[in-house]
Amino acid sequence: MPHVVEQASTGRAKCRGCGVAIAKGTWRIGEAVPNMFADGENAEARHWYHPRCAAYRRPDAFLQALEGADAPVDDRAALVAEAQAGLAHHRLPRLDKAERAASGRASCRHCRTPIVKGAWRFTLTFWEDGRFMPAGYLHPACVAGYAETTDGVLARVRHFTPDLSDEDAAAIDVAIAEGAANPLPPGTGAD
Ligand SMILES: [Zn+2]
Ligand SMILES: [Zn+2]
């Protein structure tokens, strides 16, 4: 079953990337994923995404779905570039939301030092066994060392954190840039 791009025939499917329903008539990406609980003709399921959410989170499926399809998806060329960036830097698709640390107990996945309570952090997700799993946190300043690029990082995180204010986004952008100027080395056990 190939990955597809098509116009949503109903408005019922929720995007796996952002959790928001995909409006009827708008373009959506359908990723074919193995269904481990079935065989035969039900051995695959389809996961739906907004095009931008797929470009960020499932770049391989996004690019395959668009290959040879002339679907006039909004911002198609820019989204293709984002997906290609996600393939070139394989940790980029793990970036999720920005939030303030609710406690000081979690350590950064890159530098392995604790993230201070109340400080900004990025949540990470890993794609495992056909679904997204929470995979810890990252200092915004550690993105440069972790993802090996800072291009488009803030736009990605803002996409998945729609309620982030411009002021908070600006503060996070400063931290990302500071980390790029002075990258911290990975701590023991970082991945
Ligand atoms: Zn979405
Ligand atoms: Zn860190």
Side-chain angles (χ1 to χ4, degrees):
M1 192 160 82
H3 308 311
V4 295
V5 56
E6 63 169 44
Q7 282 173 294
S9 50
T10 75
R12 288 194 299 273
K14 267 193 185 170
C15 172
R16 297 260 171 174
C18 69
V20 176
I22 301 167
K24 182 176 177 175
T26 62
W27 292 99
R28 63 182 184 180
I29 304 292
E31 179 183 18
V33 291
N35 181 348
M36 269 156 294
F37 307 104
D39 44 37
E41 66 188 65
N42 295 320
E44 284 192 313
R46 199 171 286 290
H47 288 175
W48 296 106
Y49 292 87
H50 295 111
R52 182 171 293 275
C53 295
Y56 284 153
R57 289 263 205 257
R58 307 292 302 141
D60 216 359
F62 174 85
L63 292 171
Q64 285 177 35
L66 259 61
E67 209 174 85
D70 58 2
V73 171
D74 283 352
D75 293 332
R76 178 171 169 143
L79 295 185
V80 165
E82 293 289 0
Q84 285 166 342
L87 292 186
H89 302 285
H90 73 279
R91 288 170 174 160
L92 264 185
R94 297 176 179 175
L95 288 169
D96 186 26
K97 297 174 165 56
E99 64 178 28
R100 288 194 184 273
S103 78
R105 288 191 297 273
S107 290
C108 170
R109 189 149 197 123
H110 178 68
C111 70
R112 291 293 174 188
T113 62
I115 300 172
V116 175
K117 182 176 177 177
W120 287 106
R121 66 186 181 189
F122 295 154
T123 57
L124 299 173
T125 58
F126 284 6
W127 177 257
E128 275 175 7
D129 299 332
R131 58 193 174 135
F132 293 109
M133 302 291 286
Y137 307 98
L138 198 66
H139 290 114
C142 284
V143 161
Y146 183 76
E148 298 173 334
T149 182
T150 58
D151 289 348
V153 162
L154 189 65
R156 262 171 205 267
V157 169
R158 288 201 84 169
H159 176 71
F160 294 111
T161 321
D163 54 350
L164 194 68
S165 72
D166 289 345
E167 195 184 352
D168 287 341
I172 291 167
D173 201 24
V174 167
I176 292 172
E178 283 172 358
N182 268 311
L184 275 175
T188 307
D191 73 30

